[in-house]
Amino acid sequence: MTQQRNEWPLWEIFIRGQHGMSHRHVGSLHAADSETAILNARDVYTRRNEGVSIWVVQAQQITASSPSDKGPLYEPSEAKVYRHPSFFDIPKEVGAM
Amino acid sequence: MAQTADLFEFLCRMGDNTLVLGHRVSEWCGHAPVLEEDIALANTALDLIGQTQMWLGLAAEVEGQGRSADDLAMLRDAWNFHNVLLVEQPNRDFGVTILRQFLFDAWHVEMLQRLITSSDQRIAEVAAKSVKEATYHLERSSTTVIALGDGTGESHNRMQDALNLLWPYVGELFADDAVDTAMSEEGIAPKSSDLRDAVMARITDVLAEATLQVPDGDFTHKGGKTGFQHTEHLGHMLVAMQNLQRSYPGATW
Amino acid sequence: MYAQMVKSEATQEDPEKLAAFQARIDAGEKIEPKDWMPVGYRKTLIRQIGQHAHSEIVGQLPEGNWITRAPTLERKAILLAKVQDEAGHGLYLYCAAETLGVTRDELTEMLLDGRMKYSSIFNYPTLTWADMGAVGWLVDGAAIMNQVPLQRTSYGPYSRAMIRICKEESFHQRQGFDIMMKMASGTEAQMRMAQNALDRFWYPALMMFGPSDKDSVHSEQSMRWKIKMNTNDELRQKFVDQTVPQAEYLGLTVPDDKLVWNEEKNGYDFSEPDWNEFFDVIQGNGPCNTDRLAARNKAWDDGAWVREGLMAHATKKSAMKVAAE
């Protein structure tokens, strides 16, 4: 699709919590520049917890690996399932009343 | 010990400022210029409502008449609201909203920083909790005022219009009366006039960076802080805010 | 649901690639933005995620209608936090859609000029404070039925957005039910408001799941692709079975003479909503369609100078930075 608009660029947001873990990708948002991207990230993704560190990277600056064209696209699910955290059971209380 | 009436009055002023401004900012929810701003404005409003609960809760406690923060917010008449006129100004456009926020934040941060050393421990605690939030509000509103003042021709003009409109409401933040004197004598709070230099320095720095011109003249509208004469806007706000509590007395929600 | 009547796109591509793609999905793998995917999968997802995002944003309006009138400071804060969450959820979903090659502004324009839809439910008015209870209890309750399984959807960014949304949304339905409990056990006027809210929102809530499976032509392909996880009727039945006892607990009457427990199917028999009304609302003739779109258009138009102003400042600043280097 065309992009003739002067749209705010997309930023990828990485946050490190208080417990010494690495910065972790939490999502994206739009902002005019890196300074406001950080402010927006505080409001959208941290609710301003003390002690957190925020990285913002403009999405178009990220180079991502491409999935390989070689080899089978499909392997038996039995062999892979453990690699997919999102495949494990989601706690019942998530979203339930 | 300061007179209970003076202390109650001071706490209501603090709480009414945050209540009325929080209400105004909450009116933006779902209508902001961009999603990220919608979320940020709601955060600001949530902080201010939370601070209101603390200030008015403490006011009710000091008064000792069995009233709650909600009673004070929902059942007082307009003349008993003692917020400054600045915060009851309607949102109009985003420029007026963010400039109103900035002018208030600049005063608010300075006030709260002084209150951290209040001789009244309860006040010092509320201030210490609130100042972190207010400091972030100021950072955000300053950044936005600067960007929009410097942005396009239209955004610059709108911000200048907003400044011209709101400037006469700044002076009331620094107007002393007997309550200020009583608070200052007890070391509970600074006199309003004591804050002027530091706040104005903050404000003029940001406005300069935003390429905005401070209007000439030092005319000041007054009457909110004492409750003597609010603008017409406050009454309309209270009609909405107090509707349920007044229409269904005694109901719990 | 928040994405109703999403038309599934047919796909004409290399059968071998299609088979391999389907096999990945069947194996529970996630499809990620740079992976090969059928054109139809991409288009259907853009439509579905976009519609879902639009529903969150338009969905701010009926509840936002009561923020300034909330009866206590605490209720005001809770409601504001909830409506703010909806803005956040819209934001996450737009970002997920953007990974498919469409921009947020493009999606927004399609909402504003009516090319894209949002959930029919948000075209109903909120008339009393009890409606804040009913919306949380019924509308969020219905939405959760759909969103929890969508956490397992095949498209990675969509799945991750749904996981975050479900986590944040756990308090939404509870706060609604909490309001209903207060109202239903309150004064006579409050009880009347509570019953009245249930009367008005019951059938619109049932409509959220979309038309009956026998009339729904789009389900099959989407279910194979795991971008639709359950049939409309399955979810509707589950919703009724869960909600009727809650209404009884509140002492409220579900407005359906035919509602009766069916031992054999271990679920309730209930009346279908009026599908003519549903299609009227979808076509733009709901009680609030005009107001909802007008409000979104006004926010967008009034905000243009702000978006442009911030962008212009950012551009100037980065030009100065480059010049200084």
Side-chain angles (χ1 to χ4, degrees), chain C residues 269-282:
Chain C
D269 291 334
F270 56 94
S271 301
E272 290 272 312
D274 175 355
W275 291 110
N276 289 327
E277 177 183 320
F278 172 76
F279 288 109
D280 276 342
V281 175
I282 293 275

Side-chain angles (χ1 to χ4, degrees), chain A residues 53-67:
Chain A
S53 159
I54 300 173
W55 287 350
V56 299
V57 185
Q58 210 174 319
Q60 66 181 39
Q61 301 291 332
I62 291 180
T63 308
S65 61
S66 290

Side-chain angles (χ1 to χ4, degrees), chain C residues 1 3-8 209-223 228 230-233 236 275 278-279:
Chain C
M1 200 32 57
Q4 295 157 321
M5 308 279 291
V6 175
K7 188 166 163 284
S8 191
F209 299 98
S212 179
D213 297 332
K214 55 185 191 296
D215 306 320
S216 182
V217 289
H218 315 306
S219 293
E220 233 174 82
Q221 176 64 74
S222 288
M223 288 187 73
K228 186 178 168 79
N230 307 83
T231 69
N232 297 346
D233 288 333
R236 190 168 14 248
W275 291 110
F278 172 76
F279 288 109

Side-chain angles (χ1 to χ4, degrees), chain C residues 128-174:
Chain C
T128 74
W129 176 252
D131 290 9
M132 296 303 96
V135 168
W137 171 38
L138 301 174
V139 175
D140 289 285
I144 288 166
M145 295 260 144
N146 185 52
Q147 289 177 346
V148 166
L150 270 178
Q151 292 177 110
R152 291 180 285 108
T153 185
S154 63
Y155 188 56
Y158 192 22
S159 157
R160 290 189 284 276
M162 292 316 306
I163 288 170
R164 185 172 263 273
I165 287 170
C166 286
K167 204 159 101 192
E168 294 186 358
E169 227 171 49
S170 54
F171 89 89
H172 290 185
Q173 194 189 9
R174 285 163 187 253

Side-chain angles (χ1 to χ4, degrees), chain C residues 9-14 18 36-42 221 225:
Chain C
E9 292 275 343
T11 268
Q12 290 155 338
E13 274 148 304
D14 181 356
L18 285 174
W36 183 86
M37 62 186 85
V39 174
Y41 179 84
R42 185 185 299 273
Q221 176 64 74
W225 278 336

Side-chain angles (χ1 to χ4, degrees), chain A residues 29-30 39-40 42-43 48, chain B residues 36 40 43 47 136 140:
Chain A
L29 50 74
H30 288 267
L39 295 180
N40 289 344
R42 276 176 85 162
D43 277 301
R48 307 191 302 286
Chain B
E36 286 79 4
N43 272 339
D47 288 343
Y136 178 69
R140 188 167 180 105

